[in-house]
C-alpha cells in the first residue's frame, strides 16, 4: 500500500479548507480573512435585501483605499460623491460590527499593504477581497484571490465560498538579479514570456533561488502581478524571511502561539517530488529593466529595446493587437524606447508603494531634479510615517515630485488622481489598459527605480546609470 502522493503548497492550503465538494466538482471553501473596500456596498445591499447579518465579523476587515482622496489635509475639499463612498463603507462596517481601517485611522492604507502590515496576512490562510490584486497576499503562503460582488455577499453571509480548483503552475527563477533590477522586472518579464493569459486556470507558485532572495516587499509585488498573467492566484512558500516579516505585527500570533504557528507554517512548502501541471524555469540573468510599450502588461520589453514592428509579427492576431496598441500609445515602430518622452510619473499602488519601493525611487532621485511632474503616494499611513522619518519625502519634494497621503490614487483614477487625455505616464502600477489612469492616458508600467529615472530624464530611461556608484 503506497502513501499519499507529495503535495504542493497550493494543494495543502486548498485541502485544509474544503468544507465539502459539490456534484459538479466545485468545492466549498472556508474563508479565513475577508477584506472589504468602498466598492463592497453592492454586497451589503444584497445583505439588506435578505435581512441577513455578517456570519464572521471577526474575520472581516474594512479598508478605505480605492476612493479616498490622497490630498486630504486642512482646507482640502473632498468631492461629495467620493465622500459618500467612503462614508457608506463606514456605515456598513459599523452596522455589522466590522473593524474598519478608515480615514483618520493611523493604520489606513491600501488593503493589500495594510493586511501584511497589520499581521492579518498569514501563511496557510484563505483570503478574499473584491479586488483582483488580492493575489498579493500569496507572498506569505496564503491562498488569496479576488472575488466579485455576489461572491462578496456570499462570504459575508456564510464565511464560505464555492470555487473550482485551479491547476498548478510552478515558475522557477534561478540565479541572481542584476543591479537595479527588482521583482517588478521579474513579473513583467514573466508576463511578456507567457502572455497575459498564459497562466489562465492555474495557481502560480514562484520558486527558485532568485525568489528566495527577494525581500518580503519584492515577493508581495511579484504575487500582486500574478493576476496579470491570467492566474487565479500566486503563492510563495513561507520561510525565514516570511516569519521575520510577521513577528511582532499587531494581529499576528504572540509568544508561544507564534512559535507554534511557525512550526505549522514550516510544513506548508511544496514537497520535493510534488507534481505541477505546468512548470517553467527562467534564468535571472535573462531579465533586464523592463517597460511596457502597449496596452497590456504582456506588451513589454527591456528599456534598451526598440518599439516592435507589427509587420514582423507572424501571428495575425498578435500583429493586429500590436497595431492597435501602437495607435493608442502614439508610438511608431522602430523608435528606441529610451527616446519616448513622458509627461508625468506616478509612484504608488498596491504593486509598488511599500517602504522598499520608496527607498528604491529615492536612491535614484536623491540630489537630482525631475524634468516632469509626478505624484508619490505611499501604500499606507504607516509607510508614509516611516518614509518621512527616513527623509524620503524630502528627497521626493526636492526633486520636484508631489508627496501625498496613502490610497490607490492614480492606479485606478476613482479618487481625483488622474492624468489628462494624451498624457504619457511612467507608472509603478499594475495595469496599462486604455483609460486606466484617465481617459486617453497612455501608461507605461515599470519599477519604482525606473519611474524615478524617467522623472529625471523626461523620457523612458534605464535606471542603472542613475544608480551607478550609489548605495543600494
Amino acid at each position: 500500500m503506497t502513501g499519499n502522493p507529495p503535495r504542493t503548497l497550493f494543494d495543502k492550503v486548498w485541502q485544509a479548507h474544503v468544507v465539502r465538494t459539490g456534484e459538479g466538482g466545485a468545492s466549498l471553501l472556508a474563508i479565513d480573512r475577508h477584506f472589504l473596500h468602498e466598492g463592497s456596498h453592492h454586497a451589503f445591499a444584497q445583505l439588506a435585501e435578505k435581512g441577513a447579518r455578517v456570519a464572521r465579523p471577526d474575520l472581516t476587515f474594512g479598508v478605505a483605499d480605492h476612493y479616498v482622496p490622497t490630498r486630504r489635509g486642512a482646507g482640502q475639499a473632498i468631492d461629495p460623491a467620493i465622500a459618500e463612498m467612503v462614508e457608506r463603507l463606514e456605515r456598513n462596517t459599523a452596522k455589522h460590527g466590522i473593524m474598519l481601517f478608515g480615514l483618520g485611522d493611523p493604520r489606513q492604507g491600501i488593503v493589500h499593504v495594510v493586511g501584511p502590515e497589520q499581521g492579518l496576512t498569514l501563511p496557510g490562510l484563505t483570503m478574499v477581497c473584491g479586488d483582483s490584486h488580492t493575489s498579493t497576499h500569496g507572498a506569505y503562503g496564503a491562498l488569496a484571490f479576488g472575488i466579485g460582488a455576489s461572491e462578496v455577499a456570499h462570504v459575508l453571509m456564510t464565511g464560505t465560498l464555492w470555487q473550482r480548483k485551479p491547476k498548478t503552475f510552478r515558475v522557477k527563477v534561478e540565479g541572481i538579479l542584476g543591479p537595479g533590477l527588482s521583482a517588478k522586472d521579474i513579473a513583467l518579464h514573466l508576463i511578456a514570456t507567457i502572455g497575459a493569459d498564459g497562466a489562465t486556470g492555474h495557481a502560480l507558485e514562484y520558486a527558485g533561488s532568485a525568489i528566495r532572495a527577494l525581500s518580503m516587499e519584492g515577493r508581495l509585488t511579484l504575487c500582486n502581478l500574478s493576476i496579470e498573467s491570467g492566474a487565479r492566484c500566486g503563492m510563495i512558500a513561507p520561510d525565514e524571511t516570511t516569519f521575520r516579516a510577521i513577528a511582532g505585527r499587531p494581529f499576528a500570533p504572540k509568544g508561544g502561539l507564534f512559535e507554534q504557528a511557525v512550526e505549522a507554517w514550516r510544513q506548508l512548502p511544496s514537497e520535493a517530488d510534488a507534481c505541477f501541471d505546468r512548470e517553467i524555469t527562467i534564468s535571472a540573468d535573462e531579465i533586464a529593466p523592463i517597460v511596457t510599450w502597449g496596452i497590456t502588461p504582456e506588451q513589454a520589453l527591456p528599456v534598451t529595446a526598440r518599439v516592435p514592428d507589427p509587420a514582423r509579427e507572424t501571428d495575425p492576431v498578435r500583429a493586429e493587437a500590436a497595431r492597435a496598441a501602437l495607435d493608442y500609445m502614439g508610438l511608431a515602430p522602430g523608435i528606441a524606447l529610451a527616446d519616448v518622452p513622458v509627461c508625468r510619473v506616478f509612484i504608488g499602488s498596491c504593486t509598488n508603494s511599500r517602504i522598499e519601493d520608496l527607498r528604491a525611487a529615492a536612491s535614484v532621485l536623491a540630489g537630482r531634479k525631475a524634468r516632469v511632474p509626478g505624484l508619490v503616494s505611499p501604500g499606507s499611513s504607516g509607510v508614509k510615517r516611516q518614509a518621512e522619518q527616513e527623509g524620503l519625502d524630502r528627497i521626493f519634494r526636492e526633486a520636484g515630485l508631489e508627496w501625498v497621503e496613502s490610497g490607490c490614487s492614480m492606479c485606478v483614477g476613482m479618487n481625483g488622481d488622474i492624468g489628462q487625455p494624451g498624457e504619457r505616464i511612467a507608472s509603478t502600477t499594475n495595469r496599462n489598459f486604455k483609460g486606466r489612469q484617465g481617459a486617453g492616458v497612455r501608461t507605461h508600467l515599470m519599477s519604482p527605480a525606473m519611474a524615478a529615472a524617467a522623472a529625471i530624464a523626461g523620457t523612458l530611461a534605464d535606471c542603472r546609470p542613475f544608480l551607478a556608484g550609489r548605495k543600494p
Side-chain angles (χ1 to χ4, degrees):
M1 185 175 182
T2 58
N4 294 324
R7 295 185 297 164
T8 66
L9 163 64
F10 171 81
D11 287 330
K12 292 178 183 181
V13 181
W14 177 278
Q15 291 167 11
H17 289 84
V18 173
V19 177
R20 72 184 183 90
T21 301
E23 293 181 3
S27 294
L28 185 66
L29 299 180
I31 302 301
D32 297 315
R33 295 281 189 276
H34 186 189
F35 291 121
L36 306 165
H37 55 72
E38 301 96 313
S40 61
H41 63 91
H42 297 294
F44 280 111
Q46 291 183 46
L47 264 69
E49 289 174 7
K50 298 177 184 296
R53 299 290 300 177
V54 175
R56 294 299 304 270
D58 57 320
L59 302 181
T60 310
F61 300 87
V63 183
D65 62 357
H66 278 56
Y67 287 85
V68 298
T70 59
R71 298 170 181 85
R72 50 181 188 261
Q76 293 281 358
I78 299 178
D79 180 276
I82 290 175
E84 169 57 24
M85 290 295 293
V86 175
E87 290 165 7
R88 192 180 300 173
L89 178 65
E90 293 173 355
R91 293 194 298 270
N92 283 326
T93 51
K95 176 181 178 180
H96 292 276
I98 295 168
M99 180 175 290
L100 172 65
F101 303 105
L103 288 185
D105 191 313
R107 303 167 297 180
Q108 180 272 336
I110 303 172
V111 61
H112 308 313
V113 176
V114 170
E117 191 173 71
Q118 292 299 319
L120 292 167
T121 304
L122 299 172
L125 299 186
T126 50
M127 306 181 65
V128 296
C129 176
D131 182 275
S132 58
H133 294 101
T134 306
S135 57
T136 307
H137 305 267
Y140 282 73
L143 172 51
F145 50 92
I147 56 177
S150 60
E151 292 175 310
V152 170
H154 190 280
V155 176
L156 285 173
M157 287 187 279
T158 70
T160 64
L161 187 64
W162 285 101
Q163 287 286 290
R164 290 193 176 277
K165 187 178 182 182
K167 296 179 180 179
T168 53
F169 186 168
R170 180 161 61 183
V171 176
K172 297 178 73 174
V173 185
E174 301 288 1
I176 300 173
L177 284 178
L181 294 173
S182 70
K184 186 66 164 285
D185 299 297
I186 296 176
L188 290 176
H189 178 92
L190 171 64
I191 297 165
T193 299
I194 68 173
D197 58 356
T200 299
H202 291 76
L204 287 176
E205 180 179 337
Y206 301 98
S209 57
I211 304 304
R212 291 192 296 273
L214 289 175
S215 65
M216 209 64 234
E217 289 93 338
R219 297 178 186 191
L220 288 160
T221 294
L222 186 58
C223 287
N224 174 275
L225 285 157
S226 299
I227 192 70
E228 305 307 333
S229 63
R232 189 71 179 111
C233 63
M235 304 177 77
I236 297 175
D239 58 12
E240 297 304 320
T241 297
T242 319
F243 308 149
R244 287 194 299 269
I246 296 170
R249 298 289 180 181
F251 289 87
K254 302 292 191 298
L257 287 177
F258 179 75
E259 297 305 321
Q260 291 176 35
V262 168
E263 288 308 306
W265 297 336
R266 291 188 194 280
Q267 309 307 311
L268 289 174
S270 296
E271 292 160 23
D273 297 322
C275 292
F276 293 79
D277 295 294
R278 289 182 64 190
E279 287 195 70
I280 64 168
T281 299
I282 295 171
S283 176
D285 59 17
E286 299 173 3
I287 302 172
I290 290 184
V291 298
T292 57
W293 54 267
I295 54 175
T296 167
E298 77 172 77
Q299 292 174 326
L301 286 168
V303 71
T304 52
R306 293 181 176 272
V307 174
D309 185 351
R312 297 186 177 183
E313 176 58 63
T314 57
D315 183 329
V317 175
R318 291 177 62 87
E320 179 55 34
R323 279 191 289 270
L326 294 183
D327 180 64
Y328 180 81
M329 295 297 289
L331 296 174
I335 66 172
L337 285 169
D339 290 338
V340 174
V342 299
C343 305
R344 186 181 303 274
V345 300
F346 173 64
I347 299 170
S349 86
C350 62
T351 310
N352 281 127
S353 63
R354 298 169 183 83
I355 191 65
E356 179 182 278
D357 301 314
L358 302 183
R359 289 171 182 158
S363 67
V364 172
L365 288 164
R368 294 175 171 137
K369 296 291 183 181
R371 294 190 181 185
V372 296
L375 190 69
V376 184
S377 177
S380 72
S381 299
V383 170
K384 185 173 188 285
R385 288 190 296 272
Q386 184 175 354
E388 290 172 348
Q389 290 168 2
E390 296 181 13
L392 303 184
D393 62 316
R394 176 179 51 78
I395 291 173
F396 295 130
R397 288 192 177 106
E398 290 178 354
L401 304 185
E402 189 178 3
W403 175 251
V404 296
E405 301 292 334
S406 62
C408 291
S409 188
M410 196 176 277
C411 179
V412 290
M414 295 177 175
N415 41 53
D417 293 346
I418 56 173
Q420 298 303 308
E423 276 194 331
R424 191 180 302 280
I425 301 179
S427 182
T428 67
T429 53
N430 41 49
R431 288 186 171 158
N432 55 337
F433 306 152
K434 292 180 180 180
R436 173 72 175 182
Q437 295 188 290
V441 173
R442 297 157 171 168
T443 300
H444 294 270
L445 305 179
M446 62 198 71
S447 72
M450 291 286 286
I456 297 165
T459 64
L460 301 180
D462 191 332
C463 66
R464 291 173 294 189
F466 293 96
L467 289 168
R470 297 201 166 194
K471 186 177 179 181

